[in-house]
Amino acid sequence: MTAAPAPGNEPQSPEPQHPPTPTPTVTPAPGSPEGPAVSAKGAAVAPDQAVAPDQAVAGWRGWGAVGAVALGIFCLITSELLPVGLLTSVGADLGVSDGTAGLMVTVPGLIAGFCAPLVTVGAGRLDRRWVLVVLIALMAVANLVAALAPGFGVLLAARLLVGVSVGGFWAIAGGLAVRLVPAHHVGRATALVFGGVPTASVLGVPAGTLLGELGGWRFAFAAVGGLGVLTLAALLLLLPALPPTRTITFAQLPSLLRRNRAVRAGVTVTFLLVTGQFAAYTFVRPLLEDVSGVDTAYVSTLLLGYGAAGVAGNFLAGARDPYRALFTVGASLAVILALLATVPGAVAGTVLLLAWGLVYGGVSVSLQSWMIKAAPDEAEAASSLMVAMFNLAIAAGALGGGLAVDGISVPAAAWAGAALMALAAVTVRVTSTSRTATRTVAGGGEASTSGGLAGTRDASPADQR
């Protein structure tokens, strides 16, 4: 059974001897190698699932649009994590404790988790180009307000707006690569978009911290707001019109979870991987210092190396099958975190940390690819579910790791992360086995999918597309 293609990736009608014309494309006969995707029973893809051919922009225009979206992700993640390096100075200036100042990081993450599906549904029939523009503008304004905040209450309110921007932008932008570049470049384009996540950790957050040290924390927030204005201009100049391919309602989100096993598994894998990651990573400094024996003076440098390795891992995973990539991530990180919790020595700790960054760097792009392939005709809805779980899992991981550290020991956080990573790997394996069996039964043993995960639904074979 062949899954419906992702919006914007429909192959062109065969007739190479004639130049393309603006007239509507005639649907080729079912089974045509260059026609639209067909189901196992030969039914052509429904016309209302198709995206206008001119939305997959070839050449520099398409890649320019991808670059603008990647810059938006970079700007948003930098904004979300910026207070990490500014907590002490903000707390001292506004008269709050470091713990209270930490709400500047916790609150946007929680808000982003809830706003990912809310913004996706609320966008309705709005052009996605304008939705992204408004969200970036909101982020820029929020950071400028934070830079001028007279008290912590106003600053925290501005951080709420950052959470709205992060959740909404990520949920919508994550599935846009299929509409901006030709089909054979979608993996690379998605990797470029999500390259903004680790790059923000490597460049954005340290740069923001440095600006805070040089000009004060208000200057750092203002600088990120200015970067948001530049990103806004890039989106306006480079992003084409992106009318919605279908309207999403709140009822469709739980419905998608119920009827699509691959989406359900993807959300579960997201929870396990991200919770495991932040259960351990939140306490990476004490792990390196107490277990590995790394000198405190070198920890910051090692974390920069971790982030650089994450950028490389993101692009290595971008064009790979998401099932294999995420299975490798889960299994490898289970081993790496277990070793980090038990093996002493600064050299061992350094090697394990860099390996950790390289492997985990592929998580965001692989999860997004999983969701696009699991629900190609409902990519926005599937992405919003993944983004919501991703952000909520960050908070859950930090909380769970903290409980493990306080109740047991620092290595317990790494052990908890390793256990969750192992469960993630098992979940991916079970999902793959179930998916293969479902395709075999539905297609008489000869069905196939273009994306590997698409079409794994709980509905009967007659209902599957």
Side-chain angles (χ1 to χ4, degrees):
M1 175 184 62
T2 301
N9 281 346
E10 293 80 6
Q12 299 297 314
S13 175
E15 287 184 354
Q17 69 275 23
H18 298 297
T21 65
T23 56
T25 303
V26 177
T27 303
S32 169
E34 298 184 46
V38 295
S39 68
K41 296 187 177 184
V45 175
D48 63 353
Q49 296 173 16
V51 177
D54 60 355
Q55 289 176 3
V57 184
W60 70 268
R61 289 184 58 199
W63 285 106
V66 169
V69 175
L71 179 60
I73 292 287
F74 170 81
C75 191
L76 285 162
I77 300 303
T78 298
S79 177
E80 183 178 19
L81 300 179
L82 180 64
V84 170
L86 306 173
L87 289 181
T88 302
S89 55
V90 170
D93 192 28
L94 299 182
V96 297
S97 67
D98 287 348
T100 300
L103 292 174
M104 293 188 296
V105 179
T106 304
V107 168
L110 293 174
I111 295 298
F114 286 109
C115 283
L118 291 176
V119 173
T120 303
V121 173
R125 297 188 178 276
L126 297 176
D127 188 316
R128 278 14 183 188
R129 175 176 183 261
W130 289 108
V131 174
L132 297 184
V133 164
V134 169
L135 289 170
I136 283 293
L138 182 64
M139 184 278 300
V141 170
N143 279 283
L144 294 175
V145 170
L148 300 172
F152 187 72
V154 174
L155 178 56
L156 195 59
R159 299 296 296 167
L160 291 174
L161 298 181
V162 170
V164 174
S165 301
V166 171
F169 193 101
W170 190 348
I172 292 174
L176 288 183
V178 297
R179 303 180 63 182
L180 297 175
V181 297
H184 58 286
H185 289 316
V186 166
R188 294 184 183 89
T190 302
L192 178 59
V193 168
F194 280 94
V197 177
T199 305
S201 299
V202 177
L203 299 177
V205 175
T209 303
L210 178 61
L211 289 175
E213 293 174 354
L214 295 176
W217 65 268
R218 294 182 186 274
F219 178 63
F221 278 107
V224 175
L227 179 60
V229 173
L230 293 177
T231 305
L232 174 64
L235 291 172
L236 288 171
L237 289 173
L238 299 173
L239 206 61
L242 295 166
T245 55
R246 60 175 60 216
T247 302
I248 301 171
T249 65
F250 284 111
Q252 287 176 305
L253 298 178
S255 172
L256 180 60
L257 280 175
R258 285 195 304 270
R259 59 186 164 79
N260 192 313
R261 289 180 198 161
V263 168
R264 205 161 56 235
V267 172
T268 302
V269 170
T270 299
F271 171 78
L272 293 172
L273 284 176
V274 179
T275 303
Q277 164 70 7
F278 282 89
Y281 186 69
T282 303
F283 304 95
V284 64
R285 181 179 289 271
L287 275 170
L288 292 174
E289 294 174 356
D290 298 349
V291 179
S292 301
V294 174
D295 191 292
T296 302
Y298 296 108
V299 171
S300 296
T301 302
L302 290 180
L303 290 179
L304 282 175
Y306 169 94
V311 174
N314 173 80
F315 287 100
L316 286 174
R320 300 182 184 277
D321 175 67
Y323 154 72
R324 292 187 181 91
L326 290 172
F327 176 78
T328 301
V329 166
S332 299
L333 286 182
V335 174
I336 290 170
L337 293 179
L339 290 175
L340 194 61
T342 55
V343 178
V347 173
T350 298
V351 172
L352 290 171
L353 181 69
L354 295 177
W356 183 359
L358 181 67
V359 175
Y360 185 76
V363 166
S364 297
V365 63
S366 298
L367 287 173
Q368 184 64 52
S369 297
W370 177 306
M371 288 303 186
I372 291 174
K373 292 181 177 183
D377 53 342
E378 298 175 275
E380 275 192 4
S383 294
S384 71
L385 291 170
M386 185 274 287
V387 173
M389 182 56 74
F390 197 108
N391 283 278
L392 293 174
I394 291 174
L399 176 62
L403 293 174
V405 169
D406 290 343
I408 306 175
S409 64
V410 169
W415 279 113
L420 290 168
M421 295 297 182
L423 284 175
V426 171
T427 302
V428 175
R429 176 66 74 184
V430 170
T431 300
S432 175
T433 303
S434 174
R435 170 181 56 82
T436 302
T438 300
R439 292 208 324 269
T440 302
V441 171
E446 298 182 2
S448 65
T449 68
S450 60
L453 292 170
T456 308
R457 304 169 187 261
D458 289 336
S460 64
D463 294 331
Q464 296 181 11
R465 288 176 289 190

